[in-house]
Structures are given as C-alpha cells and as structure tokens.
C-alpha cells in the first residue's frame, strides 16, 4: 500500500520506518474496521431493514459494527437509512459535522443514494449532494445480505486506507454546507 | 345515498347552495358560494350535528378542458355526523385572486387543513394563517399546482437558527 509514496532510493532508516509505518497502518486499519460504532439515521421504511440487519438472524455485530450509538459524537459510521428530503438536509449535515474523525458514511437504499423514485420537489436527490459517501447500497429496501456486503466493502476500504500514528495530518477540508447552498 | 345535509342547506340557506349533483359513486355533493361557507359550516355543526371535521383538500383544474378551468381551484370539505353516520361533501370554487373565509373559527381542526391547502395550492383563506405547514419557509411556489414544473428543484436551505437550544457560550443558534 505504501508503494506509491516510497522513494526510489531508500536508506536503511527509510526502509525501517516505512516497514514500521506499514505495520502500524495495517494494525490500525484492522482495529478500526472491526470496531465501527454506527449511527443509524433512519428516516423511512429502510429503517425496518436496518432493524432486521441489526437483529439476531442477520446480526451486524458479527461484522464488528456491534453498537448503534444514538449520539453522533460517539459514532464513526453514519448509516443514512431512508429518504432525505430538502427540509431534513441541514439536519443530516449537522449530524455528520458533529461526528468526530475518522468517520465514514454509508448510503443505505436507493433513496439515500439517489433519491430513488422520489424524483420530486421535496426530496434530496442523493445525500452525496451534501455529505461525502463511502459506500452506496442499492435496493428498495436492500436485503440484509446486501447491507452486510456493503459493510464488508467499507471494511476493505478502511483496511486499505493509510493510517498514521503520531503524524498530525491537517483535518481534511470538506465543502461547507453554506458553500453548497450558495451554488 | 343520503342527501340530508344538502336538503337542509337548500331549505335553510338557499342562497348559499350554488349547485348540487351526485358523483358516479352516487354520493351527494354541494357547491357552496364562497362568501357563505362560514354560515353553512355553522349550520351543519350547530343545528345538523355534523360535528366532526374529516378533511379538506383542493383540486387544481388547470389540466381540464378550458370551460372547466374557470374558476381554477375547487376546495373540498368533508364533514361527518356521527349520530347519523353520514358525510357532508362540500365544494367551494375560487380563482387565484379570490380568497375563502376561514372556517377555523367553527372547526378548529380546519386550521391545519387550510394551511395545507395554502401551502400546496396557494388558495388564500381570509382570516386564517398564511403559513406553510409541510414545506419549508424558503420554498418558492406551491408544489401541487399543475403549472409547478415536474422536475422543478429548489436550492438547498441553510440550517435554521433554533433559539431554544444552547450550543455553548458565545453562540446563538447556528454559528457561521
């Protein structure tokens, strides 16, 4: 994973730190992908399917996303479950902004992904117009197996991200809601 | 189907009833002149026992043949008499520049319904609240009118300041 940034000529020290950094990154990725605290932002019928995913038969906790936290401050995975209309969009934006980094977003179902068949005056045509999305799960509503598949995709993504230890990165710039609203 | 309510209106307030007919399901409908709707509502509620306000809606007739487009809107009222188990079905026809006296003084529940009709059709109720009930304040136009563009999209709105939530020292509602 670090091939893209490795210099062509390396010293023994670079090699050693690169190796260490790699191991730490993998370890952190492994730890993070199995300890996702989800914030289910359930607004519509997809919420039923979320309940099914979280309950005993499909059991999302087998994949490490055990705890639904009902405070965005304690969560690092935002599950946007259901239709988001234009009146609700600022609230969703606020919830996303309240989550602490690192954070990921899953658009659960077609309404959250693209507006679905609500192609009308009241509905936000996909939450990616206001917040960044990592995984889109299609379906109206998606089967629990699809959701678990989407979660595993996100886990792969988290595992393959480059995690830094003791390296203060600037907080990633995200477009402010007011910038988007001004457009 | 029973025509009790309309018969009584015709007997007691003949000037209010413009037209009466039966629809294809056999239900009786009465078209009321808009300036008499409050009297009719009072008569139905206080003398005839139609005490339950069921619902209210509007129809935009812009898609109908030209002779039916004037007046443009039909506002539809449903009342119910629980003792007799009967409905009263009333209509008021108005154009865009006309308003209807509010019946919220007679049926308090009609307040939200009138706000709904104003929100989605733009029919004004004189003496009622002109405030949106489902759409947001910044929304432009009335979305269930037939001339509202089908793919009409409006701008995203910023978050509204909420005065009764304390968000920390030095803040007042939403921070910029």
């Amino acid at each position: 994973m670090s091939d893209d940034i490795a210099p062509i000529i390396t010293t023994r020290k670079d090699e050693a730190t690169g190796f260490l950094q790699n191991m730490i990154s993998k370890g952190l990725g492994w730890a993070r992908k199995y300890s996702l605290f989800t914030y289910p932002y359930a607004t519509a019928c997809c919420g039923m399917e979320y309940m099914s995913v979280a309950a005993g038969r499909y059991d999302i906790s087998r994949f490490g996303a055990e705890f639904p936290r009902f405070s965005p401050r304690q969560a690092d995975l935002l599950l946007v479950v259901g239709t988001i209309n234009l009146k609700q969009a600022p609230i969703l934006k606020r919830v996303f902004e309240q989550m602490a980094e690192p954070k990921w977003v899953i658009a659960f179902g077609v309404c959250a992904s693209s507006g679905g068949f609500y192609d009308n005056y009241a509905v936000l045509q996909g939450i990616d117009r206001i917040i960044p999305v990592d995984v889109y799960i299609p379906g109206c509503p998606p089967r629990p197996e699809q959701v678990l598949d989407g979660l595993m995709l996100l886990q792969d993504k988290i595992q393959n991200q480059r995690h830094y230890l003791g390296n203060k990165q600037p907080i990633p710039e995200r477009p402010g809601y007011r910038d988007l609203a001004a457009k | 189907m029973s025509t009790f309510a309309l018969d009584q209106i015709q007997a007691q307030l003949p000037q209010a009833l413009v037209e009466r007919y039966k629809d294809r399901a056999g239900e009786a409908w009465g078209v009321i002149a808009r300036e008499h709707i409050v009297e009719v509502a009072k008569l139905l509620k206080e003398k005839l026992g139609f005490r339950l306000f069921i619902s209210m809606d509007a129809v935009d007739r812009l898609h109908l043949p030209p002779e039916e487009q004037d007046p443009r809107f039909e506002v539809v009222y449903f009342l119910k008499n629980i003792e007799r188990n009967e409905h009263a079905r009333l209509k008021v026809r108005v154009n865009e520049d006309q308003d209807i006296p509010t019946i919220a003084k007679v049926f308090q529940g009609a307040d939200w319904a009138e706000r709904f009709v104003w929100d989605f059709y733009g029919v004004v109720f004189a003496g009622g609240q002109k405030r949106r009930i489902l759409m947001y304040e910044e929304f432009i136009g009335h979305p269930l009118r037939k001339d509202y563009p089908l793919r009409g999209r409006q701008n995203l709105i910023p978050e509204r300041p909420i005065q009764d939530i304390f968000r920390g020292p030095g803040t007042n509602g939403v921070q910029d």
Side-chain angles (χ1 to χ4, degrees):
Chain A
M1 295 309 131
S2 63
D3 299 345
D4 49 340
I5 57 160
I8 297 165
I9 302 168
T10 55
T11 62
R12 289 179 65 95
K13 192 189 169 198
D14 286 338
E15 273 180 7
T17 49
F19 174 77
L20 202 64
Q21 174 64 54
N22 237 355
M23 296 302 287
I24 288 167
S25 179
K26 275 186 185 166
L28 272 177
W30 175 84
R32 282 181 175 166
K33 78 173 183 180
Y34 289 129
S35 62
L36 290 169
F37 278 30
T38 59
Y39 180 85
Y41 192 91
T43 53
C45 41
C46 279
M48 301 286 175
E49 218 64 22
Y50 171 76
M51 292 171 208
S52 173
V53 176
R57 188 172 289 267
Y58 292 98
D59 203 2
I60 200 170
S61 57
R62 291 181 297 149
F63 297 84
E66 171 103 23
F67 247 149
R69 304 307 298 181
F70 297 106
S71 162
R73 315 255 177 189
Q74 300 170 347
D76 44 20
L77 170 59
L78 177 62
L79 278 170
V80 183
V81 185
T83 323
I84 301 297
N85 54 29
L86 293 173
K87 204 174 175 181
Q88 188 135 46
I91 303 165
L92 175 64
K93 177 75 180 166
R94 160 75 64 179
V95 166
F96 175 75
E97 281 170 350
Q98 284 179 342
M99 292 167 65
E101 298 275 354
K103 53 188 170 183
W104 297 276
V105 179
I106 286 183
F108 187 122
V110 286
C111 289
S113 303
S114 69
F117 58 74
Y118 294 110
D119 187 6
N120 62 20
Y121 56 88
V123 174
L124 185 67
Q125 302 296 302
I127 58 165
D128 48 6
R129 297 192 177 208
I130 53 168
I131 57 177
V133 179
D134 293 292
V135 176
Y136 299 86
I137 302 172
C140 184
R143 295 267 321 155
E145 293 92 331
Q146 271 174 280
V147 180
L148 296 176
D149 200 28
L151 184 73
M152 284 155 72
L153 277 175
L154 181 71
Q155 285 177 335
D156 284 349
K157 184 173 177 177
I158 295 170
Q159 175 70 76
N160 294 335
Q161 275 179 343
R162 194 158 167 77
H163 303 272
Y164 294 94
L165 193 69
N167 184 357
K168 275 193 184 167
Q169 295 284 313
I171 294 168
E173 278 293 320
R174 301 187 194 274
Y177 184 75
R178 281 178 181 76
D179 304 339
L180 282 168
K183 275 177 196 169
Chain B
M1 301 294 164
S2 169
T3 57
F4 167 73
L6 294 185
D7 293 338
Q8 291 294 318
I9 293 170
Q10 199 159 25
Q12 298 187 35
L13 287 170
Q15 73 279 17
L17 195 66
V18 178
E19 185 192 336
R20 54 184 293 181
Y21 66 94
K22 288 196 171 176
D23 63 13
R24 56 187 174 175
E27 309 286 2
W29 286 83
V31 180
I32 308 294
R34 66 189 173 90
E35 57 272 22
H36 293 291
I37 184 68
V38 179
E39 296 167 50
V40 172
K42 265 187 192 150
L43 172 73
L44 285 171
K45 185 184 181 185
E46 287 158 12
K47 296 205 181 129
L48 306 181
F50 287 81
R51 282 195 295 277
L52 180 61
F53 175 83
I54 302 268
S55 72
M56 189 172 149
D57 209 332
V59 180
D60 186 357
R61 308 198 292 171
L62 200 66
H63 58 300
L64 292 180
E67 63 272 16
E68 290 184 60
Q69 284 184 18
D70 186 46
R72 179 173 169 184
F73 296 104
E74 262 176 358
V75 178
V76 186
Y77 298 82
F78 294 97
L79 307 176
K80 186 167 187 178
N81 183 330
I82 295 173
E83 288 85 30
R84 294 176 65 93
N85 194 18
E86 276 180 21
H87 284 263
R89 298 172 179 81
L90 308 177
K91 274 181 182 182
V92 176
R93 289 179 179 154
V94 280
N95 256 324
E96 275 169 275
D97 50 346
Q98 294 167 322
D99 54 9
I100 304 176
T102 175
I103 62 161
K105 306 273 191 307
V106 186
F107 294 100
Q108 283 187 358
D111 184 34
W112 281 9
E114 285 177 353
R115 276 174 65 188
F116 170 81
V117 171
W118 184 79
D119 190 357
F120 283 89
Y121 296 92
V123 177
V124 180
F125 292 89
Q129 293 192 60
K130 205 171 168 182
R131 196 152 64 93
R132 292 190 181 273
I133 187 166
L134 290 177
M135 301 308 292
Y136 40 95
E137 297 293 323
E138 295 87 345
F139 194 83
I140 299 162
H142 303 284
L144 292 191
R145 284 190 173 189
K146 290 288 174 189
D147 53 1
Y148 187 85
L150 189 62
R151 292 278 163 89
R153 298 276 184 270
Q154 306 214 357
N155 288 334
L156 292 170
I157 49 166
E159 195 182 12
R160 194 166 303 160
I162 302 169
Q163 299 303 336
D164 55 351
I165 291 180
F166 181 62
R167 287 207 165 112
T171 64
N172 179 23
V174 175
Q175 277 177 294
D176 270 314

